[in-house]
PDB file of all heavy atoms in Angstrom:
ATOM      1  N   LEU A1252     173.237 104.495 119.912  1.00 97.00           N
ATOM      2  CA  LEU A1252     174.318 105.066 119.234  1.00 97.00           C
ATOM      3  C   LEU A1252     175.551 104.957 120.244  1.00 97.00           C
ATOM      4  O   LEU A1252     176.687 104.612 119.885  1.00 97.00           O
ATOM      5  CB  LEU A1252     174.196 106.528 118.868  1.00 97.00           C
ATOM      6  CG  LEU A1252     175.369 107.208 118.176  1.00 97.00           C
ATOM      7  CD1 LEU A1252     175.634 106.519 116.892  1.00 97.00           C
ATOM      8  CD2 LEU A1252     174.982 108.695 117.976  1.00 97.00           C
ATOM      9  N   LEU A1253     175.257 105.281 121.481  1.00 97.00           N
ATOM     10  CA  LEU A1253     176.290 105.147 122.576  1.00 97.00           C
ATOM     11  C   LEU A1253     176.759 103.701 122.687  1.00 97.00           C
ATOM     12  O   LEU A1253     177.902 103.386 122.788  1.00 97.00           O
ATOM     13  CB  LEU A1253     175.773 105.699 123.832  1.00 97.00           C
ATOM     14  CG  LEU A1253     176.658 105.565 125.080  1.00 97.00           C
ATOM     15  CD1 LEU A1253     177.953 106.335 124.872  1.00 97.00           C
ATOM     16  CD2 LEU A1253     175.921 105.905 126.287  1.00 97.00           C
ATOM     17  N   ALA A1254     175.798 102.806 122.606  1.00 97.00           N
ATOM     18  CA  ALA A1254     176.089 101.350 122.716  1.00 97.00           C
ATOM     19  C   ALA A1254     177.050 100.873 121.591  1.00 97.00           C
ATOM     20  O   ALA A1254     177.885 100.077 121.757  1.00 97.00           O
ATOM     21  CB  ALA A1254     174.840 100.502 122.774  1.00 97.00           C
ATOM     22  N   SER A1255     176.821 101.454 120.380  1.00 97.00           N
ATOM     23  CA  SER A1255     177.666 101.041 119.218  1.00 97.00           C
ATOM     24  C   SER A1255     179.115 101.470 119.502  1.00 97.00           C
ATOM     25  O   SER A1255     180.026 100.778 119.103  1.00 97.00           O
ATOM     26  CB  SER A1255     177.102 101.632 117.920  1.00 97.00           C
ATOM     27  OG  SER A1255     177.283 102.920 117.892  1.00 97.00           O
ATOM     28  N   TYR A1256     179.309 102.697 120.012  1.00 97.00           N
ATOM     29  CA  TYR A1256     180.645 103.120 120.410  1.00 97.00           C
ATOM     30  C   TYR A1256     181.282 102.257 121.426  1.00 97.00           C
ATOM     31  O   TYR A1256     182.439 101.996 121.346  1.00 97.00           O
ATOM     32  CB  TYR A1256     180.621 104.621 120.758  1.00 97.00           C
ATOM     33  CG  TYR A1256     180.397 105.580 119.592  1.00 97.00           C
ATOM     34  CD1 TYR A1256     179.309 106.378 119.569  1.00 97.00           C
ATOM     35  CD2 TYR A1256     181.300 105.644 118.516  1.00 97.00           C
ATOM     36  CE1 TYR A1256     179.106 107.269 118.539  1.00 97.00           C
ATOM     37  CE2 TYR A1256     181.126 106.498 117.557  1.00 97.00           C
ATOM     38  CZ  TYR A1256     180.017 107.312 117.538  1.00 97.00           C
ATOM     39  OH  TYR A1256     179.873 108.124 116.434  1.00 97.00           O
ATOM     40  N   VAL A1257     180.502 101.970 122.387  1.00 97.00           N
ATOM     41  CA  VAL A1257     181.032 101.122 123.556  1.00 97.00           C
ATOM     42  C   VAL A1257     181.420  99.715 123.064  1.00 97.00           C
ATOM     43  O   VAL A1257     182.380  99.148 123.398  1.00 97.00           O
ATOM     44  CB  VAL A1257     180.042 101.057 124.704  1.00 97.00           C
ATOM     45  CG1 VAL A1257     180.458 100.065 125.739  1.00 97.00           C
ATOM     46  CG2 VAL A1257     179.832 102.455 125.302  1.00 97.00           C
ATOM     47  N   LEU A1258     180.557  99.176 122.125  1.00 96.00           N
ATOM     48  CA  LEU A1258     180.892  97.864 121.563  1.00 96.00           C
ATOM     49  C   LEU A1258     182.130  97.945 120.703  1.00 96.00           C
ATOM     50  O   LEU A1258     183.033  97.029 120.728  1.00 96.00           O
ATOM     51  CB  LEU A1258     179.706  97.325 120.621  1.00 96.00           C
ATOM     52  CG  LEU A1258     178.652  96.656 121.393  1.00 96.00           C
ATOM     53  CD1 LEU A1258     177.471  96.390 120.503  1.00 96.00           C
ATOM     54  CD2 LEU A1258     179.057  95.350 122.075  1.00 96.00           C
ATOM     55  N   PHE A1259     182.315  99.000 119.925  1.00 97.00           N
ATOM     56  CA  PHE A1259     183.500  99.182 119.068  1.00 97.00           C
ATOM     57  C   PHE A1259     184.694  99.325 119.940  1.00 97.00           C
ATOM     58  O   PHE A1259     185.754  98.759 119.757  1.00 97.00           O
ATOM     59  CB  PHE A1259     183.354 100.456 118.291  1.00 97.00           C
ATOM     60  CG  PHE A1259     184.413 100.573 117.226  1.00 97.00           C
ATOM     61  CD1 PHE A1259     184.651  99.702 116.233  1.00 97.00           C
ATOM     62  CD2 PHE A1259     185.310 101.709 117.352  1.00 97.00           C
ATOM     63  CE1 PHE A1259     185.697  99.890 115.329  1.00 97.00           C
ATOM     64  CE2 PHE A1259     186.376 101.848 116.422  1.00 97.00           C
ATOM     65  CZ  PHE A1259     186.519 100.941 115.446  1.00 97.00           C
ATOM     66  N   ALA A1260     184.575 100.023 121.126  1.00 96.00           N
ATOM     67  CA  ALA A1260     185.756 100.121 122.079  1.00 96.00           C
ATOM     68  C   ALA A1260     186.025  98.829 122.676  1.00 96.00           C
ATOM     69  O   ALA A1260     187.166  98.483 122.900  1.00 96.00           O
ATOM     70  CB  ALA A1260     185.336 101.158 123.186  1.00 96.00           C
ATOM     71  N   SER A1261     185.016  97.992 122.909  1.00 96.00           N
ATOM     72  CA  SER A1261     185.273  96.609 123.413  1.00 96.00           C
ATOM     73  C   SER A1261     186.038  95.814 122.533  1.00 96.00           C
ATOM     74  O   SER A1261     186.915  95.012 122.989  1.00 96.00           O
ATOM     75  CB  SER A1261     183.782  96.055 123.747  1.00 96.00           C
ATOM     76  OG  SER A1261     183.994  94.591 124.145  1.00 96.00           O
ATOM     77  N   VAL A1262     185.727  95.907 121.169  1.00 96.00           N
ATOM     78  CA  VAL A1262     186.523  95.128 120.276  1.00 96.00           C
ATOM     79  C   VAL A1262     187.966  95.609 120.175  1.00 96.00           C
ATOM     80  O   VAL A1262     188.909  94.792 120.059  1.00 96.00           O
ATOM     81  CB  VAL A1262     185.786  95.298 118.761  1.00 96.00           C
ATOM     82  CG1 VAL A1262     186.732  94.714 117.712  1.00 96.00           C
ATOM     83  CG2 VAL A1262     184.515  94.544 118.858  1.00 96.00           C
ATOM     84  N   ILE A1263     188.108  96.924 120.250  1.00 96.00           N
ATOM     85  CA  ILE A1263     189.458  97.476 120.204  1.00 96.00           C
ATOM     86  C   ILE A1263     190.319  96.946 121.464  1.00 96.00           C
ATOM     87  O   ILE A1263     191.463  96.563 121.365  1.00 96.00           O
ATOM     88  CB  ILE A1263     189.464  99.006 120.166  1.00 96.00           C
ATOM     89  CG1 ILE A1263     188.959  99.402 118.805  1.00 96.00           C
ATOM     90  CG2 ILE A1263     190.855  99.579 120.432  1.00 96.00           C
ATOM     91  CD1 ILE A1263     188.765 100.843 118.543  1.00 96.00           C
ATOM     92  N   ILE A1264     189.652  97.025 122.610  1.00 96.00           N
ATOM     93  CA  ILE A1264     190.252  96.562 123.827  1.00 96.00           C
ATOM     94  C   ILE A1264     190.638  95.059 123.765  1.00 96.00           C
ATOM     95  O   ILE A1264     191.700  94.615 124.170  1.00 96.00           O
ATOM     96  CB  ILE A1264     189.424  96.853 125.032  1.00 96.00           C
ATOM     97  CG1 ILE A1264     189.321  98.321 125.309  1.00 96.00           C
ATOM     98  CG2 ILE A1264     189.943  96.163 126.353  1.00 96.00           C
ATOM     99  CD1 ILE A1264     188.275  98.791 126.330  1.00 96.00           C
ATOM    100  N   ALA A1265     189.665  94.246 123.209  1.00 95.00           N
ATOM    101  CA  ALA A1265     189.951  92.854 123.012  1.00 95.00           C
ATOM    102  C   ALA A1265     191.096  92.593 122.091  1.00 95.00           C
ATOM    103  O   ALA A1265     191.885  91.623 122.340  1.00 95.00           O
ATOM    104  CB  ALA A1265     188.714  92.128 122.491  1.00 95.00           C
ATOM    105  N   VAL A1266     191.217  93.286 120.976  1.00 95.00           N
ATOM    106  CA  VAL A1266     192.317  93.147 120.030  1.00 95.00           C
ATOM    107  C   VAL A1266     193.708  93.546 120.697  1.00 95.00           C
ATOM    108  O   VAL A1266     194.741  92.944 120.458  1.00 95.00           O
ATOM    109  CB  VAL A1266     192.061  93.995 118.704  1.00 95.00           C
ATOM    110  CG1 VAL A1266     193.400  94.015 117.881  1.00 95.00           C
ATOM    111  CG2 VAL A1266     190.968  93.413 118.034  1.00 95.00           C
ATOM    112  N   ALA A1267     193.586  94.534 121.625  1.00 93.00           N
ATOM    113  CA  ALA A1267     194.791  94.949 122.351  1.00 93.00           C
ATOM    114  C   ALA A1267     195.251  93.879 123.348  1.00 93.00           C
ATOM    115  O   ALA A1267     196.409  93.958 123.864  1.00 93.00           O
ATOM    116  CB  ALA A1267     194.583  96.273 123.052  1.00 93.00           C
ATOM    117  N   GLY A1268     194.409  92.939 123.659  1.00 89.00           N
ATOM    118  CA  GLY A1268     194.830  91.811 124.557  1.00 89.00           C
ATOM    119  C   GLY A1268     194.256  91.811 125.950  1.00 89.00           C
ATOM    120  O   GLY A1268     194.565  90.880 126.662  1.00 89.00           O
ATOM    121  N   ASP A1269     193.485  92.820 126.332  1.00 91.00           N
ATOM    122  CA  ASP A1269     193.077  92.839 127.787  1.00 91.00           C
ATOM    123  C   ASP A1269     191.555  92.273 127.681  1.00 91.00           C
ATOM    124  O   ASP A1269     190.648  93.062 127.541  1.00 91.00           O
ATOM    125  CB  ASP A1269     193.039  94.253 128.292  1.00 91.00           C
ATOM    126  CG  ASP A1269     192.797  94.319 129.757  1.00 91.00           C
ATOM    127  OD1 ASP A1269     192.466  93.277 130.283  1.00 91.00           O
ATOM    128  OD2 ASP A1269     192.797  95.476 130.269  1.00 91.00           O
ATOM    129  N   THR A1270     191.426  90.991 127.910  1.00 93.00           N
ATOM    130  CA  THR A1270     190.161  90.382 127.743  1.00 93.00           C
ATOM    131  C   THR A1270     189.210  90.734 128.911  1.00 93.00           C
ATOM    132  O   THR A1270     187.988  90.769 128.742  1.00 93.00           O
ATOM    133  CB  THR A1270     190.256  88.877 127.559  1.00 93.00           C
ATOM    134  OG1 THR A1270     190.881  88.350 128.813  1.00 93.00           O
ATOM    135  CG2 THR A1270     190.966  88.502 126.349  1.00 93.00           C
ATOM    136  N   SER A1271     189.735  90.898 130.110  1.00 95.00           N
ATOM    137  CA  SER A1271     188.835  91.233 131.203  1.00 95.00           C
ATOM    138  C   SER A1271     188.213  92.624 131.011  1.00 95.00           C
ATOM    139  O   SER A1271     187.015  92.764 131.280  1.00 95.00           O
ATOM    140  CB  SER A1271     189.560  91.149 132.526  1.00 95.00           C
ATOM    141  OG  SER A1271     190.648  92.102 132.598  1.00 95.00           O
ATOM    142  N   ALA A1272     188.944  93.526 130.627  1.00 95.00           N
ATOM    143  CA  ALA A1272     188.438  94.914 130.326  1.00 95.00           C
ATOM    144  C   ALA A1272     187.444  94.885 129.142  1.00 95.00           C
ATOM    145  O   ALA A1272     186.420  95.582 129.111  1.00 95.00           O
ATOM    146  CB  ALA A1272     189.569  96.012 130.019  1.00 95.00           C
ATOM    147  N   ALA A1273     187.771  94.091 128.194  1.00 96.00           N
ATOM    148  CA  ALA A1273     186.865  93.945 126.988  1.00 96.00           C
ATOM    149  C   ALA A1273     185.563  93.326 127.466  1.00 96.00           C
ATOM    150  O   ALA A1273     184.508  93.755 126.960  1.00 96.00           O
ATOM    151  CB  ALA A1273     187.523  93.161 125.847  1.00 96.00           C
ATOM    152  N   THR A1274     185.601  92.351 128.355  1.00 96.00           N
ATOM    153  CA  THR A1274     184.372  91.774 128.832  1.00 96.00           C
ATOM    154  C   THR A1274     183.514  92.752 129.632  1.00 96.00           C
ATOM    155  O   THR A1274     182.351  92.865 129.443  1.00 96.00           O
ATOM    156  CB  THR A1274     184.708  90.549 129.681  1.00 96.00           C
ATOM    157  OG1 THR A1274     185.463  89.654 128.929  1.00 96.00           O
ATOM    158  CG2 THR A1274     183.481  89.864 130.175  1.00 96.00           C
ATOM    159  N   VAL A1275     184.113  93.531 130.418  1.00 96.00           N
ATOM    160  CA  VAL A1275     183.372  94.583 131.218  1.00 96.00           C
ATOM    161  C   VAL A1275     182.771  95.584 130.277  1.00 96.00           C
ATOM    162  O   VAL A1275     181.631  96.011 130.438  1.00 96.00           O
ATOM    163  CB  VAL A1275     184.351  95.192 132.234  1.00 96.00           C
ATOM    164  CG1 VAL A1275     183.725  96.462 132.877  1.00 96.00           C
ATOM    165  CG2 VAL A1275     184.745  94.242 133.344  1.00 96.00           C
ATOM    166  N   THR A1276     183.511  96.026 129.264  1.00 96.00           N
ATOM    167  CA  THR A1276     183.018  96.975 128.322  1.00 96.00           C
ATOM    168  C   THR A1276     181.868  96.391 127.494  1.00 96.00           C
ATOM    169  O   THR A1276     180.890  97.027 127.200  1.00 96.00           O
ATOM    170  CB  THR A1276     184.155  97.505 127.371  1.00 96.00           C
ATOM    171  OG1 THR A1276     185.250  97.862 128.139  1.00 96.00           O
ATOM    172  CG2 THR A1276     183.724  98.616 126.548  1.00 96.00           C
TER     173      THR A1276
END
Side-chain angles (χ1 to χ4, degrees):
L1252 181 65
L1253 176 65
S1255 69
Y1256 286 118
V1257 173
L1258 278 172
F1259 188 66
S1261 176
V1262 170
I1263 291 173
I1264 293 170
V1266 169
D1269 191 0
T1270 57
S1271 63
T1274 303
V1275 170
T1276 310

